[in-house]
Amino acid sequence: MNAIDASQGLPGQPHIAYQGEQLMVEGVRLSDLPREHGTPLFVYSKAAMLSALAAYQRGFAGRKAQICYAMKANSTLAVLQVFAEAGCGFDTVSGGELARVLAAGADPAKVIFSGVGKTRAEMKQALQVGIGCFNVESEAELDVLSEVALSLGKQAPVSLRVNPNVDAKTHPYISTGLKGNKFGIAHEDALRAYQHAARLPGLKVVGIDCHIGSQITETTPYLDAMDRVLDLVAEIEAAGIPIAHIDFGGGLGINYNGDTPPDADVLWAQLLAKLDARGYGERQIMIEPGRSLVGNAGVCLTEVLYLKPGEQKNFCIVDAAMNDLPRPAMYQAFHQIVPVYLPQGDGSGAGAVYDIVGPVCESGDWIGRDRQLQVQAGDTLAVLSAGAYCMSMASNYNTRGRAAEILVDGSQAHLIRQRESAFDTFALEQLV
Ligand code: LLP
């Protein structure tokens, strides 16, 4: 259930808050936007992104550290531009992401390329633009990368993604650092893989990396992973292979529904203390945060189309669906849902309890369950914490064009992605 008390503010959303009866993103009144831009509509706060980034920057003050925004969380060009202009590097996982981030103005030397299944064409593309590092996930990939680099007369900078076998205590679909996961090279195979990499003429070993999962809300899994990775660094360097940088991945969670992840600066104060204590404080550090930089910087506006009362359930049917907001369907994820206009009544109209669902023809097409709302058709609702893994995972299922996106900067609302038309969704197809 989700009763809203506007005076309490919205958890985790410093730049997204009610002013009186109106839900605002920075200086922009959300209820004003649908008239011009329609719904579903994603709205992001630039200040929220920069303040999330600032927490990491504070944490790393005075250190040799590179923050590589994991752009899979939200890869819209103008969002990438915000982070590129703030000095970030980027973590990419496909040739498409690489092309996208370069189009947004990123410095290729600050871009890293992760992922278990890089193709030869993607390796070539990345080498040609002078990418900063490949995070390699298997010994087989080392061989192919060396071959591709040699064919271009280059040496590929590589880091091996090791799997520390640490439980990130998160949803199984977004936990990646356990033995049964497809990711990374097993701890016990890592030294052998490094020796293999060091022998290959097309590779230059530059680092080590790990990533244990996503929406992590505890510090202990990070501390454990750091210990395991530093043990390996010691072993690998003792075998004569220097490790210039250590990349601790991303994964820090956000507050969706009373979650209490540590702040990035607090987390890193603890992690850096461990790094110092183990004698690696001078090492170049890299991290790959995604969700924690953008998740709570965005909302998705959606219009209530119909209320459908029922014997067992009341349904509130909205115009956003699982193609726009796939996280509830995929991970049973919780997103707060609040009205953009919240009349300051006497509390008498408590509304009803609804399942908030979209128009897609699947029972899995729900956005929120059992939510207490006072709504009527035509109202606009805001789905909160929608800055990460929503638009970047959106699809055209049911031939629904993807939503438009707005970036708010102070009192300015910039349209950063036009709404896709039905025609756009089939423009690349042809009849036989
Ligand atoms: N680095 C690597 C190698 C990753 O695989 C990921 C995320 C990140 C960094 C960024 O993790 P973050 O800081 O965002 O937690 N779609 C799911 C999340 C999938 C995460 C995949 N990897 C969701 O909506 O919850």
Side-chain angles (χ1 to χ4, degrees), residues 70 72-73 91 114 161 174 211 213-215 250-252 288-291 327 331 389 393:
K72 62 171 77 69
D91 174 44
S114 304
R161 176 172 176 180
I174 51 177
H211 172 78
S214 199
Q215 185 54 19
L252 180 58
E288 306 165 4
R291 187 191 317 267
R327 303 190 67 259
Y331 320 110
Y389 301 112
M393 291 173 63

Side-chain angles (χ1 to χ4, degrees), residues 56 68 70 72-73 91 93 114-115 135 137 161 173-174 176 183 209-211 213-216 222 249-253 256 288-292 327 330-331 333 388-390 393:
Y56 281 101
C68 290
K72 62 171 77 69
D91 174 44
V93 289
S114 304
N135 288 351
E137 303 227 11
R161 176 172 176 180
Y173 282 13
I174 51 177
T176 52
F183 298 100
D209 67 282
C210 72
H211 172 78
S214 199
Q215 185 54 19
I216 300 168
Y222 280 108
L252 180 58
Y256 283 102
E288 306 165 4
R291 187 191 317 267
S292 52
R327 303 190 67 259
M330 280 187 77
Y331 320 110
Y389 301 112
C390 292
M393 291 173 63

